[in-house]
Amino acid sequence: MRNTIAFALALLPTIAAATPYDGVFKQTANAECANVGAEGGALRIEDGIFYGVEVECRMTRPVNVVDMDATLYTMQCSGEDQIWTERALLMNAAEDDGIIMMWDGYVFAYDRCEEGEN
């Protein structure tokens, strides 16, 4: 009986939860923050989902990085009729309110969009 309950609980969908990286971020210095997911617009992280350019990734299996303000996630992504899984490391920028995101071989620094910024 106990194994049946544990198995049933494992099949329940993961409940989305806020991350320490939630917010809207500029892809470039002059990006339009209102255009989330568009080329030259902004990216959004909300309730454990990363919304990028034509891609959406569920941020799962968070692992805190020892002695760093950083988290390693398994990103379950979909976009352009494809589904894939990758790992990504996110951390708060040390000198401003932005974030740093690292994918295998790539590093991106994003400034946070201010409330009401277009």
Side-chain angles (χ1 to χ4, degrees), residues 32-102:
E32 293 191 31
C33 294
N35 291 334
V36 173
E39 191 70 40
L43 310 170
R44 183 175 75 226
I45 299 173
E46 181 177 41
D47 294 330
I49 301 175
F50 168 78
Y51 300 93
V53 177
E54 298 180 16
V55 67
E56 181 178 304
C57 301
R58 292 199 172 279
M59 301 165 64
T60 65
R61 302 176 58 203
V63 177
N64 291 327
V65 179
V66 177
D67 295 331
M68 293 179 70
D69 183 16
T71 310
L72 181 63
Y73 290 96
T74 298
M75 307 291 274
Q76 297 173 332
C77 303
S78 61
E80 298 180 357
D81 298 325
Q82 296 182 350
I83 297 173
W84 68 96
T85 301
E86 289 192 39
R87 302 281 276 168
L89 181 78
L90 277 80
M91 66 178 69
N92 291 308
E95 296 183 9
D96 59 32
D97 195 27
I99 61 169
I100 297 168
M101 184 176 223
M102 293 189 294

